[in-house]
Amino acid sequence: MEAQAAYELTMLKNAERYAREAGALVADRMNSPLRIQEKMNKSDLVTAVDVMSESLICRLIRDDYPEHWIYSEETDGAEGDAWQRMLQPREGYGWIVDPIDGTTNYIHAVGHFAISIGIVKNGVPVCGVVHNPLTGDLYTAMRGGGAYRNGEKLAVGQERGLGDALLGTGFQAKDWHPGSCAAKQIGRIAGTARDIRIFGSASLDLCLVAAGRLTGFWHDGLYPWDAAAGIVIVQEAGGKVTNRDGRPYALSDNTLIASNAIVHAELQAVLSTVARDE
Ligand code: IPD
Ligand code: CA
């Protein structure tokens, strides 16, 4: 194996370990009283456990890779426009961390949340790990190496049209109102696709696309820490990930469409009939 691939494989294995350690902490604290704070509004929450999970992951990364950069939700998320920052990618390897993706589910003891760790080289995601500590599911992918759940190879679904498609979506906290583009898009998809799910953890929802359980997923305003790991997992399972204009998705994009590739153009066409929010 060439040196770079071997180095990235070691990073991936380490990321799996970090996600499992953080997952154990998060699962362990789930039934204790949680300290909850609102960030932007009532649908944008953080708990003390998010912060503990983040500190643990960042410490583990720094111990092993002191020369790498880290971009993580609860530490870096408040500092300006996340997408704008991704427009000037930092050089070299970096880690993009969501210590709990699906915090609202976590608070409500709904078992669909994950630790998401994306590894990026010169701004491009190269590896991803998404771990749900309650189910034990560990989704992993490395560029060119396939996508896996607990070691089992994944492949996207084979649905041929939107009429057979089960789709996922979600709301950015600021879009959680009836007039948002996201709400109107759901109105357009209703009756066209087989059905829609809003599971509440974008990284895991992307893994469901990779596993062929959801046919596709779209989300406006998804942050880099929600997407960085999951997009590699979808791509490595044979899926397609673009922005709403159909260009290959970049971490600086704030629209995302992921699918089994077959229904992609049809899904994109329906979503594009709704004007973007200002
Ligand atoms: C949220 C989840 C959710 C998505 C939200 C995200 P968080 O992440 O991924 O599915 O719809 O937009 O903010 O806040 O739980 O890390
Ligand atoms: Ca989070």
Side-chain angles (χ1 to χ4, degrees):
M1 190 186 284
E2 85 171 91
Q4 181 179 321
Y7 185 74
E8 289 177 5
L9 184 59
T10 304
M11 289 174 78
L12 180 68
K13 293 289 160 206
N14 283 329
E16 291 177 26
R17 178 167 53 83
Y18 310 156
R20 282 191 195 280
E21 283 194 34
L25 179 149
V26 167
D28 188 51
R29 303 264 167 171
M30 189 168 169
N31 297 313
S32 319
L34 293 171
R35 263 196 295 123
I36 302 166
Q37 271 186 292
E38 276 187 22
K39 295 194 278 186
M40 189 189 306
N41 60 28
K42 63 174 174 285
S43 73
D44 190 19
L45 303 173
V46 58
T47 72
V49 184
D50 294 67
V51 175
M52 287 163 69
S53 171
E54 180 166 285
S55 307
L56 171 62
I57 296 167
C58 293
R59 179 173 58 71
L60 292 168
I61 296 170
R62 281 198 199 97
D63 284 351
D64 289 339
Y65 299 101
E67 69 283 18
H68 292 180
W69 54 267
I70 302 175
Y71 188 67
S72 62
E73 176 175 10
E74 309 307 342
T75 305
D76 304 299
E79 284 179 20
D81 183 321
W83 302 284
Q84 198 63 33
R85 286 184 63 171
M86 294 293 137
L87 277 176
Q88 292 108 30
R90 283 191 258 179
E91 283 188 10
Y93 285 106
W95 301 70
I96 301 189
V97 177
D98 191 336
I100 302 180
D101 181 38
T103 300
T104 303
N105 284 345
Y106 182 68
I107 290 167
H108 286 261
V110 173
H112 188 78
F113 55 84
I115 287 68
S116 173
I117 303 178
I119 301 171
V120 170
K121 187 178 187 199
N122 299 332
V124 178
V126 291
C127 297
V129 171
V130 176
H131 175 46
N132 179 339
L134 287 199
T135 61
D137 284 340
L138 183 83
Y139 294 90
T140 60
M142 181 174 141
R143 186 75 63 216
Y148 298 85
R149 180 185 53 233
N150 300 335
E152 179 197 340
K153 200 163 194 323
L154 299 178
V156 292
Q158 289 303 305
E159 295 84 7
R160 304 216 64 80
L162 270 194
D164 299 322
L166 182 61
L167 302 175
T169 188
F171 285 82
Q172 226 266 22
K174 73 167 178 40
D175 297 334
W176 182 231
H177 60 87
S180 68
C181 175
K184 290 181 198 150
Q185 284 174 323
I186 290 174
R188 295 286 160 86
I189 292 288
T192 299
R194 178 170 282 164
D195 214 328
I196 288 187
R197 299 288 180 264
I198 301 180
F199 287 132
S201 170
S203 63
L204 267 185
D205 300 343
L206 287 165
C207 293
L208 293 183
V209 175
R213 292 177 175 173
L214 288 176
T215 316
F217 174 79
W218 87 92
H219 202 302
D220 285 5
L222 212 53
Y223 292 108
W225 48 82
D226 299 314
I231 59 172
V232 187
I233 296 169
V234 171
Q235 289 164 338
E236 287 299 317
K240 183 168 179 176
V241 189
T242 69
N243 62 19
R244 92 172 234 159
D245 301 323
R247 284 197 294 277
Y249 178 80
L251 291 171
S252 52
D253 281 320
N254 73 18
T255 60
L256 174 147
I257 305 174
S259 78
N260 69 350
I262 307 169
V263 305
H264 205 91
E266 202 185 343
L267 175 58
Q268 189 200 335
V270 177
L271 297 176
S272 302
T273 60
V274 181
R276 293 283 314 269
D277 290 329
E278 289 308 312

